[in-house]
Amino acid sequence: MSPVVTLQPSNIQFSKPIQITMPTPIYSGSSSSDLQTSLRLLSSVPKEAKGSGTRSSDWEDITDSTPLTVMNECASFTTRQAARYIVEFVVSIVCV
Protein backbone atom coordinates (compact mmCIF):
# COMPACT_ATOMS: atom_id res chain seq x y z
CA MET A 1 0.00 0.00 0.00
CA SER A 2 1.00 3.57 -0.53
CA PRO A 3 1.03 6.12 2.28
CA VAL A 4 -2.37 7.56 3.18
CA VAL A 5 -2.74 11.11 1.88
CA THR A 6 -5.22 13.21 3.87
CA LEU A 7 -6.73 16.50 2.67
CA GLN A 8 -8.53 18.41 5.41
CA PRO A 9 -11.00 19.59 6.41
CA SER A 10 -12.81 16.64 4.86
CA ASN A 11 -16.15 18.43 4.53
CA ILE A 12 -15.05 20.80 1.76
CA GLN A 13 -14.92 20.63 -2.01
CA PHE A 14 -12.38 22.61 -3.98
CA SER A 15 -13.70 25.05 -6.59
CA LYS A 16 -11.19 23.70 -9.12
CA PRO A 17 -9.73 20.20 -9.44
CA ILE A 18 -6.40 19.70 -7.70
CA GLN A 19 -3.76 17.16 -8.69
CA ILE A 20 -2.45 14.72 -6.10
CA THR A 21 0.74 12.73 -6.69
CA MET A 22 1.78 9.96 -4.32
CA PRO A 23 4.25 7.06 -4.41
CA THR A 24 2.90 3.76 -5.66
CA PRO A 25 3.23 0.63 -3.55
CA ILE A 26 6.03 -1.72 -4.56
CA TYR A 27 4.89 -5.18 -5.60
CA SER A 28 7.38 -7.75 -4.37
CA GLY A 29 5.39 -10.91 -4.97
CA SER A 30 5.72 -13.62 -7.57
CA SER A 31 6.12 -12.62 -11.20
CA SER A 32 4.22 -15.70 -12.35
CA SER A 33 2.38 -15.28 -15.66
CA ASP A 34 -0.89 -16.46 -14.08
CA LEU A 35 -0.96 -13.43 -11.75
CA GLN A 36 -2.18 -10.03 -12.88
CA THR A 37 -1.50 -6.95 -10.78
CA SER A 38 -3.33 -3.65 -10.94
CA LEU A 39 -3.37 -0.46 -8.94
CA ARG A 40 -6.59 0.71 -7.31
CA LEU A 41 -7.35 4.16 -5.90
CA LEU A 42 -9.36 4.20 -2.66
CA SER A 43 -11.01 7.17 -0.97
CA SER A 44 -12.43 7.66 2.49
CA VAL A 45 -14.62 10.60 3.47
CA PRO A 46 -15.43 10.65 7.21
CA LYS A 47 -19.15 10.76 8.02
CA GLU A 48 -20.92 11.71 11.22
CA ALA A 49 -22.44 8.68 12.91
CA LYS A 50 -26.10 9.38 13.72
CA GLY A 51 -26.56 10.65 17.24
CA SER A 52 -23.18 9.44 18.50
CA GLY A 53 -21.04 12.50 17.86
CA THR A 54 -18.33 10.25 16.44
CA ARG A 55 -17.07 10.02 12.89
CA SER A 56 -16.83 6.84 10.88
CA SER A 57 -15.35 6.25 7.46
CA ASP A 58 -15.50 3.55 4.85
CA TRP A 59 -12.98 3.09 2.06
CA GLU A 60 -14.45 3.23 -1.44
CA ASP A 61 -12.74 2.09 -4.66
CA ILE A 62 -12.91 5.13 -6.98
CA THR A 63 -10.54 3.84 -9.65
CA ASP A 64 -13.24 3.51 -12.31
CA SER A 65 -14.48 7.09 -11.84
CA THR A 66 -11.11 8.79 -11.22
CA PRO A 67 -8.40 8.30 -13.85
CA LEU A 68 -5.08 7.28 -12.30
CA THR A 69 -1.84 8.06 -14.14
CA VAL A 70 1.29 6.13 -13.14
CA MET A 71 4.78 7.38 -14.01
CA ASN A 72 8.17 6.86 -12.35
CA GLU A 73 6.74 4.91 -9.40
CA CYS A 74 4.20 7.66 -8.62
CA ALA A 75 0.45 7.76 -9.14
CA SER A 76 -1.38 10.99 -9.96
CA PHE A 77 -5.05 11.87 -10.08
CA THR A 78 -7.26 14.96 -9.84
CA THR A 79 -10.05 15.55 -7.37
CA ARG A 80 -12.25 18.27 -5.93
CA GLN A 81 -13.02 16.36 -2.72
CA ALA A 82 -11.01 16.74 0.46
CA ALA A 83 -10.68 13.18 1.81
CA ARG A 84 -8.20 10.43 2.62
CA TYR A 85 -6.64 8.63 -0.37
CA ILE A 86 -4.54 5.50 -0.77
CA VAL A 87 -3.23 3.49 -3.73
CA GLU A 88 -3.02 -0.27 -3.35
CA PHE A 89 -2.04 -3.29 -5.43
CA VAL A 90 -4.67 -5.85 -6.27
CA VAL A 91 -3.38 -9.23 -7.38
CA SER A 92 -5.69 -11.45 -9.42
CA ILE A 93 -5.20 -15.01 -10.58
CA VAL A 94 -5.75 -15.33 -14.31
CA CYS A 95 -7.66 -18.50 -15.20
CA VAL A 96 -7.17 -19.83 -18.70
Side-chain angles (χ1 to χ4, degrees), residues 5 8 11-13 15 17 20-21 27-28 36 45 68 74 80 82 85-87 89:
V5 172
Q8 290 185 330
N11 60 346
I12 66 165
Q13 283 209 336
S15 59
I20 299 173
T21 301
Y27 179 69
S28 60
Q36 180 179 6
V45 179
L68 189 62
C74 288
R80 288 183 167 199
Y85 297 96
I86 193 167
V87 176
F89 262 117

Side-chain angles (χ1 to χ4, degrees), residues 2-16:
S2 70
V4 175
V5 172
T6 303
L7 303 177
Q8 290 185 330
S10 60
N11 60 346
I12 66 165
Q13 283 209 336
F14 301 104
S15 59
K16 295 181 182 179

Side-chain angles (χ1 to χ4, degrees), residues 16-92:
K16 295 181 182 179
I18 61 167
Q19 181 171 341
I20 299 173
T21 301
M22 54 200 299
T24 57
I26 297 171
Y27 179 69
S28 60
S30 169
S31 61
S32 173
S33 62
D34 60 343
L35 295 180
Q36 180 179 6
T37 61
S38 62
L39 289 175
R40 305 301 293 177
L41 176 61
L42 305 178
S43 171
S44 175
V45 179
K47 299 175 182 113
E48 290 290 332
K50 287 187 177 181
S52 71
T54 61
R55 296 175 69 98
S56 66
S57 58
D58 295 322
W59 288 95
E60 176 184 357
D61 186 340
I62 61 170
T63 310
D64 294 334
S65 62
T66 307
L68 189 62
T69 304
V70 178
M71 184 182 301
N72 298 329
E73 299 178 5
C74 288
S76 297
F77 61 96
T78 59
T79 185
R80 288 183 167 199
Q81 178 66 53
R84 295 170 68 197
Y85 297 96
I86 193 167
V87 176
E88 71 175 4
F89 262 117
V90 174
V91 179
S92 304

